[in-house]
Amino acid sequence: MKVELYHASKYGNGEKVVAYLQGLLVAGGHQAEYRHIRDAKPKELPSADLYVFCAPTRVGKPIGKMRRFLKKARLPEGARYALIATHGEPAPDKKTGKMPTPEEIAKYQQNLPAMEAILKEKGAVKVAELKVYVKNTIKGPLADGWEKVVEEFAAKLM
Ligand SMILES: Cc1cc2nc3c(=O)[nH]c(=O)nc-3n(C[C@H](O)[C@H](O)[C@H](O)COP(=O)(O)O)c2cc1C
């Protein structure tokens, strides 16, 4: 299988995830390449059996650059894709010490459904999705055990 991976990592966590995933795919005998979306032309994406898009979250949604990239993306009809969202790990409020409620957490985690909505309009088919957490809310590092989560995801894709 030929896999094209695109990420929009700002602080490097998403890039680390995508690089690790690419390595696992290659080790599994697949052809896989990853790049930042700034180094790709959305209207000239190479053909692939699977596209992977990975975006950091901004106020609940995918970072704007990835939203625009996906909207412009020209994909083959029925293209298969997988999504990865990186999120700040939910943490207690600094003033009150209280954890956010499940409703509050959900509100700030609409990255995956937002990317899916854009790709659905293009007739692309989602095969898997993954949330990966970073510690310290914004810059990371990646939450403990992230490698295992990515390994399970890779197994699903293969
Ligand atoms: C301005 C800003 C807003 C953010 N909003 C959210 C959010 O609503 N939900 C969330 O889970 N993470 C949020 N984050 C944390 C990002 O998800 C985190 O920085 C990103 O996943 C790290 O990935 P990267 O290292 O690949 O850039 C926000 C970060 C910034 C800088």
Side-chain angles (χ1 to χ4, degrees):
M1 161 168 87
K2 181 171 180 258
V3 189
E4 292 285 331
L5 303 98
Y6 297 96
H7 72 88
S9 178
K10 172 148 190 212
Y11 301 112
N13 298 284
E15 173 158 28
K16 223 168 161 179
V17 167
V18 161
Y20 189 55
L21 177 58
Q22 183 252 359
L24 294 170
L25 291 166
V26 169
H30 301 279
Q31 201 184 328
E33 280 193 34
Y34 79 91
R35 54 176 60 81
H36 196 285
I37 54 170
R38 73 167 88 88
D39 302 319
K41 293 195 172 115
K43 292 190 196 287
E44 296 171 27
L45 298 183
S47 67
D49 302 301
L50 177 68
Y51 297 88
V52 179
F53 301 105
C54 171
T57 310
R58 291 290 182 271
V59 200
K61 296 280 166 60
I63 195 165
K65 288 188 173 84
M66 180 57 97
R67 282 208 303 271
R68 290 191 285 280
F69 184 86
L70 293 177
K71 281 180 188 163
K72 283 187 198 159
R74 211 169 273 161
L75 293 168
E77 184 60 37
R80 294 167 72 245
Y81 72 91
L83 298 174
I84 303 172
T86 58
H87 286 285
E89 205 168 41
D93 184 277
K94 281 192 185 114
K95 282 186 198 148
T96 63
K98 273 194 197 157
M99 279 300 283
T101 63
E103 292 75 23
E104 285 163 342
I105 293 173
K107 186 175 159 201
Y108 289 100
Q109 294 194 357
Q110 296 302 310
N111 185 342
L112 291 171
M115 287 197 278
E116 182 176 352
I118 297 170
L119 291 168
K120 204 173 180 179
E121 284 196 8
K122 296 174 189 274
V125 180
K126 187 180 76 175
V127 298
E129 64 178 27
L130 177 69
K131 280 184 195 178
V132 184
Y133 291 101
V134 306
K135 292 196 250 190
N136 307 319
T137 317
I138 289 182
K139 291 195 177 168
L142 288 158
D144 300 339
W146 69 272
E147 291 98 334
K148 189 167 178 281
V149 171
V150 178
E151 284 158 20
E152 284 165 4
F153 187 65
K156 222 187 265 182
L157 298 183
M158 294 190 268

